[in-house]
Amino acid sequence: MFSYTGTLTGSKTAAKIKKDIPKMLERGELLTMEEFYELWTKWLNEVYHKREHSGLKRQGEKYTVPIELFMKAEDKYYKPAPPKSYASILMMKAERVTVYNIGIRKFGYEYRAQELCNYHGEKVDIKYDPEDVTRLYVYTREGKKICEAVSQELLLIAPRVSQKALEEHKKMQNTQLRNDKELLEEFRTPYEQRGNVPGDVVGALDLMVKGKGDKVVALPQDKQFASELRDKKNRQKQDAEDEFFSRKAQDALSKLRQLG
């Protein structure tokens, strides 16, 4: 059990009496901390706050009673802003994570620090600045700071990386990876098994050599194949016509030379 056994700070040294604490405890003369706090609060509100203070008079205060000064001098006294470093920590995001043998995993990256080796497998609290996720501030669950864990991979990208930029980067990576997997799967699928391949194109025909008795009963009806076939025939026809007219022109030129 805890109790207060001192005297009022305003009493003189000569008035202080040595107390036999064990005997007082046996006689039930000691107050519990709860009883002491209740009496102290009553004295604070009914005596201390309502009594004039000479110290306030010496400082030239308009209100010399503590409770009056507290209630009426708000424009003169104000609570100072916390230090910038402390305010920055308050604005950080906080989470509880697990420490693995490689450190802490966050945002798809690994954060390491030598001090984390002593917390392998344990839960710890982390804080991080959304505008710079290259490092994590690590604390025990009781609030004691352990270390600052950094991601060497992110530091290779830039000295500061925002959470938004990192999320966009990971999103782009995942999209690219998904597209590459789909393309690879399409290449691995045999041509005739692809769902968008017509059954009558060249890739779906049996191109094995047949016996002499086999006959072609149908040609491919694919539009692209037919267009290519027409273009090929037209080119052959044009080449033949060009060759014919060239030959005729050469004959006519030869006869003119003979006539002088």
Side-chain angles (χ1 to χ4, degrees):
M1 182 184 71
F2 297 93
S3 178
Y4 177 76
T5 61
T7 59
L8 294 178
T9 57
S11 60
K12 296 181 180 180
T13 305
K16 294 181 180 179
I17 303 173
K18 186 177 180 180
K19 301 179 178 64
D20 188 349
I21 305 302
K23 293 293 184 181
M24 293 176 66
L25 179 61
E26 292 178 3
R27 294 193 297 267
E29 298 175 358
L30 297 180
L31 299 175
T32 65
M33 291 301 294
E34 291 76 13
E35 292 172 338
F36 167 75
Y37 179 73
E38 182 179 354
L39 292 174
W40 179 84
T41 303
K42 182 179 180 181
W43 170 83
L44 177 68
N45 295 328
E46 298 180 2
V47 179
Y48 181 85
H49 277 173
K50 296 181 180 180
R51 185 176 60 187
E52 274 195 341
H53 281 242
S54 58
L56 296 178
K57 291 181 180 179
R58 289 194 300 267
Q59 293 177 6
E61 293 289 350
K62 178 180 178 181
Y63 306 102
T64 58
V65 176
I67 191 64
E68 291 181 357
L69 181 65
F70 179 77
M71 299 299 296
K72 300 178 181 180
E74 295 180 355
D75 56 336
K76 185 176 180 180
Y77 297 98
Y78 59 91
K79 186 177 182 180
K84 183 178 179 181
S85 58
Y86 179 68
S88 299
I89 293 178
L90 292 178
M91 296 173 63
M92 291 181 180
K93 293 185 177 180
E95 293 182 25
R96 179 162 290 179
V97 298
T98 301
V99 179
Y100 299 94
N101 57 347
I102 46 81
I104 296 175
R105 295 172 182 167
K106 186 67 179 172
F107 307 115
Y109 291 89
E110 297 169 359
Y111 293 79
R112 296 183 175 89
Q114 182 65 32
E115 294 82 353
L116 293 177
C117 296
N118 299 326
Y119 296 88
H120 179 209
E122 297 184 21
K123 293 282 187 179
V124 295
D125 292 333
I126 62 170
K127 290 186 177 182
Y128 59 90
D129 183 358
E131 297 302 319
D132 181 17
V133 292
T134 57
R135 67 184 63 246
L136 304 176
Y137 300 87
V138 188
Y139 302 84
T140 64
R141 285 179 290 182
E142 291 75 26
K144 180 182 177 182
K145 186 175 182 179
I146 299 174
C147 64
E148 294 182 14
V150 298
S151 171
Q152 298 297 334
E153 296 175 86
L154 291 180
L155 288 176
L156 292 176
I157 299 175
R160 291 174 61 91
V161 180
S162 69
Q163 182 182 0
K164 182 178 180 181
L166 182 60
E167 290 174 351
E168 291 293 331
H169 176 69
K170 294 295 292 183
K171 182 179 179 181
M172 181 183 65
Q173 280 188 325
N174 292 336
T175 301
Q176 182 178 355
L177 180 61
R178 183 171 60 254
N179 293 340
D180 290 345
K181 286 183 178 180
E182 292 176 356
L183 187 61
L184 179 61
E185 185 63 26
E186 182 178 353
F187 286 142
R188 287 177 174 175
T189 303
Y191 189 79
E192 62 275 8
Q193 294 182 9
R194 300 178 189 178
N196 58 347
V197 178
D200 51 4
V201 297
V202 176
L205 291 178
D206 186 2
L207 301 181
M208 297 294 291
V209 177
K210 302 294 183 178
K212 295 182 180 180
D214 295 335
K215 297 182 180 180
V216 177
V217 295
L219 289 176
Q221 301 299 319
D222 183 77
K223 293 182 180 180
Q224 293 182 353
F225 175 78
S227 178
E228 290 288 340
L229 188 60
R230 284 194 302 270
D231 290 344
K232 183 178 181 180
K233 289 182 177 179
N234 291 336
R235 287 196 300 271
Q236 291 175 346
K237 181 178 179 182
Q238 186 65 41
D239 292 343
E241 291 178 352
D242 291 345
E243 183 181 358
F244 172 77
F245 286 116
S246 177
R247 188 168 59 252
K248 289 296 184 181
Q250 289 292 337
D251 292 342
L253 182 61
S254 179
K255 288 181 180 181
L256 289 173
R257 289 174 178 173
Q258 291 176 2
L259 294 176

